[in-house]
Amino acid sequence: MIKKLIALYFISAAAPAMAHLTWIDAGEQSMGLSTGHNFPSKEITVKGEYVQSIRCVDANQSVFNLSFDTKSIRYIYPQKPANCVARLKTSLIELSPSQGAQHFEESKVSKNLIDKVRGSKKFEEEYFKLAQIKPIQIDGPLYNVDVAQFVIKANDPESIYVYRNGKPLSKQPVGLEYPETPVTLWSETDADGKVKLLLQPTSKALLRTLVTEENGQQYKSQFLSVILDPK
């Protein structure tokens, strides 16, 4: 069932789990989902009621799911995983056209879609978030063709790609949230979906993107993030 967020997208009590940057906060014994405007400064911890699933792999690439309840803010794992993917529940967001255009502008959605939103009478969007600890190995146990993911390839382990529906996403705007810079550093993926980093972070950073498509009179979007550790 899709949860509905009405017009107060940026200030409602429920919206912080949907509206801001969201990333996995992985500890030695448990993990949380942190949300904030400026990575890594979290403003809120996403509770279990907003989470659809958390899937992880151990060092042997065996998959396990993390359990949570509606009151959870940390998710305890049996052993520290090699990687995890957390998916938040889908929401139906209703905004004014000007708010919808601002939302898209902040994630560098195409100008054609932004102009279309501005010229519309209302804005409705099905929206969910996916957060990763690390890029996913293509065809590995956490790889999912039905969602957008930051992935790596066996023959190119040093590069990061954006894939969806089993195919690379070209010209996809990707933002780098690096605490040492005051602004988001934006670039676009190339024809193979490869991410071009404008700088190589020397401390923990966040890579993020918003994948959006028209769906009749509505829009369908997925926010995607992954933690980048320094080389």
Side-chain angles (χ1 to χ4, degrees):
M1 184 176 181
I2 296 176
K3 188 178 182 69
K4 194 172 186 179
L5 300 183
I6 309 296
L8 299 178
Y9 176 81
F10 294 101
I11 59 175
S12 73
M18 303 296 170
H20 309 147
L21 303 175
T22 296
W23 61 91
I24 292 178
D25 173 25
E28 290 296 324
Q29 298 178 325
S30 66
M31 60 160 279
L33 296 174
S34 297
T35 295
H37 281 95
N38 299 294
F39 175 85
S41 300
K42 66 179 180 180
E43 298 169 15
I44 194 171
T45 300
V46 181
K47 294 183 179 179
E49 64 185 293
Y50 297 113
V51 180
Q52 179 171 313
S53 64
I54 301 175
R55 300 181 72 241
C56 302
V57 291
D58 62 20
N60 297 318
Q61 296 298 292
S62 297
V63 178
F64 61 94
N65 296 320
L66 291 187
S67 60
F68 50 85
D69 57 44
T70 58
K71 296 180 181 179
S72 297
I73 58 173
R74 300 290 297 183
Y75 311 102
I76 299 172
Y77 26 72
Q79 58 181 325
K80 189 172 183 179
N83 202 357
C84 289
V85 175
R87 178 169 178 167
L88 274 61
K89 293 179 180 177
T90 300
S91 293
L92 176 62
I93 300 170
E94 296 183 0
L95 302 174
S96 69
S98 61
Q99 288 175 316
Q102 180 186 356
H103 164 48
F104 277 177
E105 283 180 329
E106 289 175 347
S107 294
K108 305 299 182 184
V109 173
S110 74
K111 187 176 184 301
N112 288 339
L113 283 186
I114 293 171
D115 289 343
K116 183 173 289 189
V117 170
R118 281 205 180 96
S120 64
K121 295 182 179 179
K122 65 178 181 178
F123 177 88
E124 292 185 346
E125 177 188 37
E126 285 188 18
Y127 180 86
F128 74 93
K129 287 188 168 188
L130 198 78
Q132 306 171 199
I133 294 179
K134 297 178 181 179
I136 304 297
Q137 177 74 47
I138 285 186
D139 297 328
L142 293 181
Y143 181 60
N144 184 349
V145 297
D146 295 327
V147 296
Q149 291 181 312
F150 285 115
V151 303
I152 55 174
K153 299 179 179 181
N155 62 351
D156 188 14
E158 298 300 317
S159 299
I160 301 174
Y161 297 78
V162 183
Y163 265 58
R164 181 170 178 253
N165 296 331
K167 299 178 181 178
L169 286 179
S170 63
K171 296 185 177 179
Q172 176 66 31
V174 176
L176 178 66
E177 305 292 334
Y178 184 45
E180 280 74 6
T181 65
V183 296
T184 302
L185 300 176
W186 288 97
S187 61
E188 286 190 345
T189 58
D190 66 13
D192 296 319
K194 185 176 180 178
V195 174
K196 179 182 179 181
L197 294 178
L198 298 182
L199 61 77
Q200 184 60 56
T202 56
S203 65
K204 187 171 289 187
L206 187 74
L207 203 61
R208 47 79 73 99
T209 189
L210 184 72
V211 180
T212 297
E213 61 186 6
E214 293 183 79
N215 182 33
Q217 299 300 311
Q218 297 180 338
Y219 298 89
K220 293 183 69 174
S221 297
Q222 177 196 335
F223 172 88
L224 173 64
S225 70
V226 67
I227 300 292
L228 296 184
D229 288 319
K231 295 291 186 180

